[in-house]
């Protein structure tokens, strides 16, 4: 995916302008910037969820569901009425394909005893692992992450980063939005930095 000359305006306020970004297989792209600089807006533009005020994004022709997202707050993107098992298995159900839920849970470090619990019955870290498992089941070509470790304890954060690294090694494109400069500089081969607005 290639974004060229991207601009985001809200009313009279220009959040960012003239931003170029490339997200390609096997090369993690990081996005840094202070709060309010438009990092999440840029991610939404690249994902196709928000239209840019100017510029364009060229996306490869992908089957539905091949762009996956990992949110900062897993509770905002998880149905509270679904068990972790159903959350994790959702992409397989949509695609009508088999999935070994227990094996996927094990891969992301989620205790299989938690699979029949609801989001309110588990920690943020455990729920984020379920969301990460859902991402693996989805098998996306591109993964867009918005502060995926900011709410997690160090052990959970390392587990999330390791799985994302494995996805990149398997050929996925990765866009990582974070306040964590050390994480981005260590993990990303390409970095876009947005300034304060």
């Amino acid at each position: 995916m290639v974004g060229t000359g991207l601009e985001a305006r809200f009313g009279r306020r220009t959040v960012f302008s003239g931003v170029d970004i490339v997200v390609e297989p096997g090369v993690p792209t990081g996005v840094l910037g202070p709060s309010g600089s438009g990092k999440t807006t840029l991610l939404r533009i690249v994902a196709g969820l928000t239209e840019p005020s100017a510029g364009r994004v060229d996306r490869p022709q992908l089957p539905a569901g091949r762009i996956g997202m990992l949110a900062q707050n897993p509770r905002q993107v998880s149905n509270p009425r679904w068990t972790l098992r159903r959350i994790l298995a959702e992409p397989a159900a949509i695609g009508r394909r088999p999935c070994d839920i227990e094996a996927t849970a094990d891969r992301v470090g989620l205790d299989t005893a938690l699979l029949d619990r609801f989001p309110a019955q588990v920690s943020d870290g455990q729920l984020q692992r379920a969301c990460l498992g859902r991402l693996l089941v989805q098998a996306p070509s591109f993964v867009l992450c918005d502060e995926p470790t900011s709410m997690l304890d160090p052990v959970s954060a390392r587990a999330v980063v390791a799985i994302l690294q494995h996805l990149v090694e398997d050929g996925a494109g990765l866009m990582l939005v974070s306040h964590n400069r050390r994480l981005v500089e260590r993990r990303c081969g390409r970095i876009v930095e947005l300034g304060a607005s």
Side-chain angles (χ1 to χ4, degrees):
M1 295 187 285
V2 178
T4 306
L6 298 176
E7 179 175 288
R9 291 192 306 272
F10 296 101
R12 296 182 178 179
R13 177 175 172 248
T14 298
V15 180
F16 58 75
S17 63
V19 172
D20 298 329
I21 187 166
V22 177
V23 184
E24 63 182 347
V27 182
T29 297
V31 179
L32 289 168
S35 296
S37 61
K39 298 186 301 297
T40 297
T41 299
L42 179 60
L43 182 141
R44 289 180 59 83
I45 288 172
V46 171
L49 300 175
T50 299
E51 286 296 317
S53 302
R56 59 177 290 168
V57 178
D58 295 314
R59 298 178 191 86
Q61 295 297 315
L62 296 170
R66 297 314 297 272
I67 298 178
M69 297 185 69
L70 192 62
Q72 176 179 2
N73 186 343
R75 299 193 186 279
Q76 292 180 344
V77 296
S78 299
N79 189 326
R81 298 177 181 176
W82 286 7
T83 63
L84 300 196
R85 181 184 302 278
R86 185 172 178 188
I87 288 170
L88 201 152
E90 181 187 17
I94 291 172
R96 297 181 180 179
R97 61 180 184 270
C99 172
D100 188 335
I101 300 302
E102 282 75 16
T104 302
D106 186 61
R107 183 176 173 190
V108 298
L110 179 66
D111 187 340
T112 56
L114 300 176
L115 286 173
D116 294 314
R117 294 189 185 181
F118 294 90
Q121 298 173 314
V122 299
S123 70
D124 288 339
Q126 290 163 338
L127 185 56
Q128 187 72 308
R129 287 175 190 246
C131 291
L132 186 59
R134 177 174 59 191
L135 195 70
L136 294 181
V137 171
Q138 184 180 346
S141 300
F142 293 90
V143 180
L144 310 181
C145 302
D146 190 4
E147 300 281 4
T149 63
S150 65
M151 296 182 64
L152 305 180
D153 62 82
V155 173
S156 295
R158 285 194 296 271
V160 168
V161 170
I163 292 293
L164 293 175
Q165 182 63 40
H166 289 151
L167 286 170
V168 171
E169 291 169 357
D170 288 342
L174 172 66
M175 179 178 174
L176 175 62
V177 169
S178 181
H179 282 95
N180 188 333
R181 178 174 293 275
R182 184 166 179 253
L183 171 64
V184 170
E185 290 181 345
R186 287 184 63 188
R187 297 291 179 173
C188 298
R190 182 182 290 118
I191 297 174
V192 174
E193 188 151 6
L194 301 180
S197 57

